Amino acid sequence: DTAVSQTPKYLVTQMGNDKSIKCEQNLGHDTMYWYKQDSKKFLKIMFSYNNKELIINETVPNRFSPKSPDKAHLNLHINSLELGDSAVYFCASSHLQANYGYTFGSGTRLTVV
Amino acid sequence: QKEVEQNSGPLSVPEGAIASLNCTYSDRGSQSFFWYRQYSGKSPELIMFIYSNGDKEDGRFTAQLNKASQYVSLLIRDSQPSDSATYLCAVINTGNQFYFGTGTSLTVIP
């Protein structure tokens, strides 16, 4: 199936832990993104990579570090998790100009306890 | 001023009615406009995109764009309970940045 797939779907962890979320797309897109969706449903861009290069890095704590080993993968590593990091994290991909919109992964619901 | 603004709702319409969702944007030079639907607990899925002034129809959905007034709307004809979801407007601005609105929650009442 052509898609954007991200794992895990659910992640429950304690404060202070380090965790990673993985994302892969097989749509042939050259740009990938991480979005955070809070409890009010607002989608906020965190990072964007084009062909493995960082092109958007919004004001995000440096505990969040994206890594793109190739243009089909964009992973998100989070250090020293805090309660406020609890949210749904979406990976997405598009062509560079995004004229046909984004395709989203199914999301990772992160709960920090 | 936010790049993209939507009324958060909730908007309730009876089954079979027309649901009208509105969105305004701040960058007059924006060229590409999108409507996404997001069911509770799911990811956003693209319903329609529109680039030119006027209407674009796809089944029961019609996107309307008015660049002079800087608004884009989505009409859903013959609304069904399965249309109950949050609808997100998104815009690509002149800086080629993609912005989402905060979404409008729609409930279709059987």
Side-chain angles (χ1 to χ4, degrees):
Chain A
D1 288 342
T2 55
V4 179
S5 56
Q6 60 181 104
T7 56
K9 191 168 176 63
Y10 299 97
L11 189 51
V12 181
T13 188
Q14 289 187 327
M15 284 175 57
N17 283 351
D18 303 339
K19 290 293 178 185
S20 292
I21 307 172
K22 294 185 176 182
C23 181
E24 175 182 3
Q25 57 92 8
N26 61 5
L27 298 165
H29 289 160
D30 46 24
T31 307
M32 297 185 71
Y33 312 84
W34 278 110
Y35 274 84
K36 179 180 180 180
Q37 189 170 47
D38 59 26
S39 57
K40 295 182 179 178
K41 300 292 188 183
F42 180 58
L43 273 166
K44 181 174 170 54
I45 183 74
M46 299 175 69
F47 302 104
S48 172
Y49 270 74
N50 175 254
N51 268 326
K52 303 190 298 178
E53 290 196 18
L54 181 66
I55 56 174
I56 292 176
N57 183 0
E58 292 294 314
T59 306
V60 174
N62 57 14
R63 299 182 294 104
F64 291 79
S65 53
K67 284 188 171 54
S68 181
D70 55 60
K71 73 173 190 176
H73 295 83
L74 180 61
N75 304 322
L76 183 65
H77 188 75
I78 316 170
N79 289 327
S80 303
L81 278 154
E82 299 178 357
L83 292 176
D85 297 332
S86 296
V88 180
Y89 292 84
F90 286 104
C91 177
S93 70
S94 74
H95 295 295
L96 178 60
Q97 298 301 322
N99 285 339
Y100 298 106
Y102 292 178
T103 301
F104 282 87
S106 57
T108 296
R109 182 173 293 278
L110 171 65
T111 303
V112 182
V113 297
Chain B
Q1 185 182 9
K2 291 182 180 176
E3 291 281 341
V4 181
E5 300 213 46
Q6 296 181 253
N7 187 328
S8 62
L11 173 67
S12 295
V13 299
E15 184 173 355
I18 296 175
S20 177
L21 304 155
N22 299 313
C23 170
T24 58
Y25 58 94
S26 60
D27 184 342
R28 181 171 287 278
S30 299
Q31 294 294 323
S32 305
F33 307 87
F34 307 85
W35 282 101
Y36 282 80
R37 176 178 61 200
Q38 186 175 22
Y39 292 114
S40 180
K42 301 294 186 182
S43 59
E45 57 175 323
L46 182 66
I47 301 174
M48 294 188 71
F49 57 83
I50 186 168
Y51 306 143
S52 304
N53 272 330
D55 295 359
K56 179 180 179 182
E57 189 174 314
D58 184 0
R60 295 185 297 111
F61 297 96
T62 299
Q64 298 177 317
L65 175 60
N66 183 323
K67 290 185 178 180
S69 299
Q70 294 176 239
Y71 83 77
V72 56
S73 61
L74 180 70
L75 301 179
I76 307 175
R77 289 183 300 282
D78 187 24
S79 295
Q80 301 297 309
S82 59
D83 295 326
S84 298
T86 296
Y87 289 81
L88 300 163
C89 174
V91 172
I92 298 179
N93 70 3
T94 50
N96 203 37
Q97 290 188 302
F98 203 104
Y99 286 96
F100 284 92
T102 52
T104 299
S105 175
L106 172 67
T107 300
V108 180
I109 303 166

